[in-house]
Amino acid sequence: MDDKRKITIIALGVLAVCGILIILLLPSKSEFSHIDFYIFDSNDNYHYEVNERLELLVNDTTAIQGKKLLWQMGNGDTLMRSKNVVYAYKKPGKYLITLNVNDAYSISKYIKVVSGTERAAIDSVPHIYGVSEGYQGEELVFAAEGYGMDTWLWEFGESGTVDAYDQQVVYTYETPGEYTILLQTNTTKYPIKHPITILPRFEKVEEMVVVDSLTLAQDDIRKHLQAIADAKVSQRSVYYEHTNYIRNKYFCIPADQVAVVVNGEKYNDFTGYCQGLHFLESNNKKRVHIDEVHIDNIKCVSTIQVTQSYMEP
């Protein structure tokens, strides 16, 4: 073997050894692949607003101990810290927040920051919360929710005229059929519509079956929501298992169109609510207990009324 060939073999061997050492010394991407971060708004209204104090939390604080964390806020600002990550945007817009760990792993999320005017516009759109199916002679409750409303004109489609003038009303249909509820407010140019099916009056035996089935369904949903609240942030499979169960068994519309009313005052869509339940554990400040659940329709849920309380961990 000539000298030139020996030198080539030695050089290749050195390069191979160096490559192996580099691979062994560099942090593995899989080491950080479970790391995620979540964004909490200070006023807990599910909107990110200009000048609002936003808190950024990493789901696994143990995994990032001693690691280099770089937050890129999507507007040119960067933060280098692992704890007490608080930030407020000065201008509305859509921003890409990126968390970089040890220059080896990064995860990004888009966030939309709205101005006060945009927030008012979002909240000013009225919504009707109530059942989509009921029975002849049954007292049905409907509520209007929206920013800036001070007048409400309800038409339930049976009398041909305005039937009620309050934000929350109770109405009883005398005749079975398909109806469209109309709500006109001072914030809308055209009425908001809500379809409802009224079934014939049922006998007492049938009533007992319906009530028992509804109670079972509500308790079933409550148990699965509690499982989501109890799951650790890292247990993504548990989160998806229970959210998919509720969605596949009880929904006939997209999950983001199912309204969740929390303690009678906070409104959110099902997906956003379940994410909040699941990620709440990550801040270690409070735990959620699901006390009661009420649904509007056992076959096709569109509204879930949740009563919940908080417990210290």
Side-chain angles (χ1 to χ4, degrees):
M1 183 182 296
D2 56 35
D3 293 341
K4 186 175 181 179
R5 188 174 181 184
K6 287 182 180 179
I7 293 173
T8 301
I9 293 174
I10 293 173
L12 290 173
V14 171
L15 289 174
V17 172
C18 291
I20 294 172
L21 289 175
I22 291 173
I23 293 173
L24 293 175
L25 292 176
L26 282 176
S28 171
K29 183 176 180 179
S30 62
E31 178 186 354
F32 306 119
S33 59
H34 70 287
I35 291 179
D36 201 352
F37 71 88
Y38 312 108
I39 307 164
F40 294 89
D41 55 328
S42 57
N43 59 18
D44 199 25
N45 67 352
Y46 309 108
H47 295 302
Y48 303 118
E49 303 163 42
V50 171
N51 295 322
E52 180 181 10
R53 181 181 182 273
L54 303 179
E55 185 177 5
L56 287 74
L57 300 174
V58 178
N59 64 330
D60 190 344
T61 55
T62 302
I64 61 173
Q65 286 183 358
K67 304 295 189 298
K68 174 188 173 184
L69 268 65
L70 177 67
W71 298 86
Q72 297 172 305
M73 306 310 296
N75 60 352
D77 289 351
T78 58
L79 305 173
M80 295 186 64
R81 60 178 72 104
S82 58
K83 295 181 179 180
N84 301 321
V85 183
V86 177
Y87 189 81
Y89 286 91
K90 303 302 181 183
K91 297 180 180 179
K94 192 173 184 180
Y95 301 97
L96 180 65
I97 300 178
T98 301
L99 170 63
N100 187 287
V101 183
N102 268 15
D103 296 325
Y105 177 77
S106 63
I107 181 171
S108 301
K109 292 184 179 182
Y110 276 104
I111 180 174
K112 184 178 181 180
V113 179
V114 299
S115 64
T117 303
E118 290 176 296
R119 163 72 200 291
I122 293 170
D123 289 346
S124 66
V125 178
H127 297 279
I128 297 176
Y129 293 97
V131 298
S132 56
E133 186 177 276
Y135 287 92
Q136 175 187 9
E138 180 183 8
E139 291 188 343
L140 305 174
V141 180
F142 301 92
E145 185 67 23
Y147 181 82
M149 294 188 299
D150 54 30
T151 60
W152 305 268
L153 284 76
W154 295 86
E155 295 182 44
F156 290 97
E158 190 174 37
S159 66
T161 185
V162 176
D163 300 291
Y165 300 89
D166 296 318
Q167 183 175 6
Q168 181 169 305
V169 296
V170 178
Y171 188 80
T172 301
Y173 282 92
E174 297 180 0
T175 306
E178 302 284 339
Y179 296 93
T180 298
I181 300 173
L182 302 179
L183 170 64
Q184 181 72 57
T185 76
N186 58 296
T187 65
T188 54
K189 182 176 181 180
Y190 302 104
I192 305 301
K193 298 181 180 181
H194 179 78
I196 186 169
T197 301
I198 301 300
L199 303 174
R201 191 188 310 273
F202 48 85
E203 299 298 328
K204 189 169 183 178
V205 174
E206 294 175 341
E207 178 183 3
M208 292 299 295
V209 173
V210 171
V211 171
D212 287 345
S213 299
L214 183 64
T215 301
L216 290 173
Q218 291 174 159
D219 191 54
D220 186 36
I221 294 175
R222 182 192 63 79
K223 290 178 180 178
H224 285 277
L225 289 178
Q226 188 64 62
I228 294 171
D230 292 341
K232 295 182 179 180
V233 176
S234 58
Q235 295 177 305
R236 296 186 182 181
S237 61
V238 176
Y239 167 78
Y240 287 117
E241 174 189 349
H242 293 283
T243 54
N244 289 337
Y245 173 88
I246 296 173
R247 184 177 62 218
N248 294 334
K249 185 169 183 178
Y250 296 103
F251 296 175
C252 64
I253 58 176
D256 58 3
Q257 294 180 21
V258 175
V260 179
V261 185
V262 182
N263 294 339
E265 57 182 18
K266 289 188 177 180
Y267 295 81
N268 197 17
D269 64 84
F270 177 78
T271 303
Y273 172 72
C274 289
Q275 288 176 345
L277 275 184
H278 182 53
F279 299 148
L280 186 62
E281 191 271 343
S282 67
N283 63 22
N284 295 318
K285 294 179 181 177
K286 53 187 177 181
R287 300 297 299 272
V288 175
H289 183 267
I290 309 297
D291 302 313
E292 287 184 314
V293 166
H294 295 281
I295 56 178
D296 60 345
N297 190 330
I298 190 173
K299 296 179 181 178
C300 184
V301 174
S302 62
T303 303
I304 303 176
Q305 302 270 352
V306 178
T307 302
Q308 65 185 42
S309 54
Y310 295 97
M311 302 181 298
E312 295 295 329

